[in-house]
Amino acid sequence: PFNLAPMLSEAGVLDSTTAALLCPIAMQWVSAPVHLLGLDMYNRPDEASSSRASFIRAEYVRTALARTARIFPAFSICPMINTPLRKELHAAFGVTTTTVPLTP
């Protein structure tokens, strides 16, 4: 699977923590216009493309900020806290995890 954060850290572009924090946020700024275009096409199917562009320009920053605020805690901070905490608790309680093969 494609995962940009490890690729950026392995390439030396960003350290792993910075990449893990910034990649989910950056994707919101990239995907917000596509999201807005889809919403506009659904809600106003017969609108001209110039009107769509005006709508996207007007709503882009607000939409990207809202998406960032929603995504940042769940996909940036929580994994960085959850993974070490989970490992520590597993070690404390003697829990071993096994990987289940995905083959049929």
Side-chain angles (χ1 to χ4, degrees):
F2 176 75
N3 196 340
L4 186 60
M7 291 172 60
L8 290 174
S9 63
E10 288 171 8
V13 176
L14 295 169
D15 66 277
S16 61
T17 303
T18 305
L21 290 171
L22 291 182
C23 283
I25 294 170
M27 288 311 300
Q28 299 313 305
W29 290 84
V30 171
S31 64
V34 178
H35 174 82
L36 288 170
L37 177 62
L39 287 172
D40 195 46
M41 290 175 75
Y42 180 81
N43 290 316
R44 302 184 313 161
D46 298 326
E47 202 63 35
S49 58
S50 60
S51 176
R52 292 192 195 288
S54 296
F55 169 72
I56 292 170
R57 273 193 302 276
E59 298 295 325
Y60 173 69
V61 173
R62 181 180 353 176
T63 302
L65 284 172
R67 290 169 61 99
T68 297
R70 188 185 65 122
I71 289 297
F72 181 72
F75 291 96
S76 293
I77 297 295
C78 287
M80 297 179 76
I81 295 169
N82 188 43
T83 302
L85 179 63
R86 185 171 186 248
K87 286 180 182 177
E88 187 176 316
L89 289 173
H90 278 196
F93 290 103
V95 176
T96 59
T97 57
T98 58
T99 305
V100 177
L102 296 177
T103 57

